Amino acid sequence: MSLLRLEDVTRTVIPPDQPALTILSGVNLTIEPGDHVSIVGRSGSGKSTLLNLLGLLDLPTSGVISFDDRPVKSYSSARRDRLRGASIGFVFQQFNLLAGRTALENVTMPLLYSSGRTFWQRKRIAAEMLELVGLGHRLNSMPDRLSGGEQQRVAIARSLVRGPRLILADEPTGALDLDTGQSVMELIDDVAERTGAAQVVITHDPMIARRARRHFRLDRGILTPVDDPAFEPLTRREMREMAPVEPSGDAAEDEADVLDMFADDRRES
C-alpha cells in the first residue's frame, strides 16, 4: 500500500480578469512508506503548489490524490486537517514560528494534539528535540531573539516532534551553515529511518538532493524523473564522511527516548 499517490494531477488557477493559468500538469508521483525523494526546480516551476498538494493543504483541479490508497477528495475538510496534523510534518523556507511564544512553546504546539504518554510529557519531548538540533540552551528564547539559522532549527524541531509519517521539506538547510545543515539533515534522515517516515525534499543543493534515493525535476509544472550522474545517491562511505559526530552518553539516551515516544504515539493513535 502506498503512503501518498498523485495520478494525473493538474492544478489550475484563474487570476482576476485573466485567462486560466495551469501551474501543474499531469503530475504522477507515488511515495511509499520510508521513501526518500528529492525534487529540484527553478523558481516559478510550481514547487510550492506541488508541496501544498502533497501536504493536503489544497486539492487538485483534476486528477486524484490518495493517502493510504484512499482518495483525499472523499475526506471532509476537518478530516484532512486531522490527517495532516497527525501524519505530515512541514519544513518550509519561511520559519512560520509563532511570535510571542518561546522556542519550547513553538515546538510543543503540535504535541497538544497527541494522546497518552506523548501528551503528558510534551514539554520534555519538545525540549529534547530542541537539544537534538543544537538549541537546548535557547528553550526560553523568543523568535525575534534567535538568528535566522536558529529559527530554522526550531521550525525543523517542530516538524519532527510528532514523528510524522511524511516529512515535506522546502530548502530545509537554506538558512544554515554547512556543518549545521548536514547535522540537521542527518537528524531528519535518522528520525525518518527509525520511524519509517517518508521524505520529500525540495532543494537546490545537489549534495542535499543526493541524500535521497529517487530524484525528480519540476519544470513548468511538469514532473519528470532525473537520470543525471550528478544526482547519484551518496555512497555509504560518503554518508559516513558527511555525518556529524554521533551523540554519546546522556545525549544518545535522550534521542532514543524521543524516538520511543514516537512509536508509542503511533500505537495509541
Side-chain angles (χ1 to χ4, degrees), residues 152-219:
Q152 181 68 306
R153 282 183 276 168
V154 173
I156 289 169
R158 183 180 58 189
S159 75
L160 297 178
V161 74
R162 288 201 69 182
R165 298 173 62 196
L166 174 62
I167 300 168
L168 300 177
D170 182 3
E171 297 288 357
T173 62
L176 306 177
D177 61 72
L178 180 60
D179 289 341
T180 303
Q182 291 299 337
S183 297
V184 165
M185 291 309 302
E186 192 68 23
L187 171 63
I188 295 174
D189 290 349
D190 187 44
V191 171
E193 182 177 353
R194 296 198 194 190
T195 64
Q199 298 180 67
V200 178
V201 179
I202 288 182
T203 181
H204 289 93
D205 187 337
M207 293 304 291
I208 298 298
R210 286 185 66 196
R211 301 183 75 96
R213 293 186 290 274
R214 295 194 293 141
H215 310 92
F216 293 84
R217 178 173 283 110
L218 187 62
D219 186 23

Side-chain angles (χ1 to χ4, degrees), residues 23 31 33 42 47 81 87 101 103 120-121 123 125 136 142-143 160 177 198 212-213 215 235 253-256 261-262:
I23 308 297
I31 306 297
R42 296 191 295 268
K47 295 178 299 181
D81 290 345
S87 301
R101 296 288 187 272
W120 294 112
Q121 299 189 31
K123 289 186 178 180
I125 297 170
M142 296 294 182
L160 297 178
D177 61 72
R213 293 186 290 274
H215 310 92
T235 65
E253 292 175 4
D254 286 347
E255 181 176 1
M261 295 288 186
F262 294 159

Side-chain angles (χ1 to χ4, degrees), residues 37-51:
V37 171
S38 71
I39 298 174
V40 296
R42 296 191 295 268
S43 178
S45 62
K47 295 178 299 181
S48 296
T49 300
L50 179 58
L51 267 182

Side-chain angles (χ1 to χ4, degrees), residues 39-70:
I39 298 174
V40 296
R42 296 191 295 268
S43 178
S45 62
K47 295 178 299 181
S48 296
T49 300
L50 179 58
L51 267 182
N52 286 347
L53 292 174
L54 292 171
L56 312 185
L57 291 164
D58 292 326
L59 292 174
T61 305
S62 64
V64 178
I65 298 178
S66 301
F67 198 96
D68 284 339
D69 288 340
R70 179 174 176 178

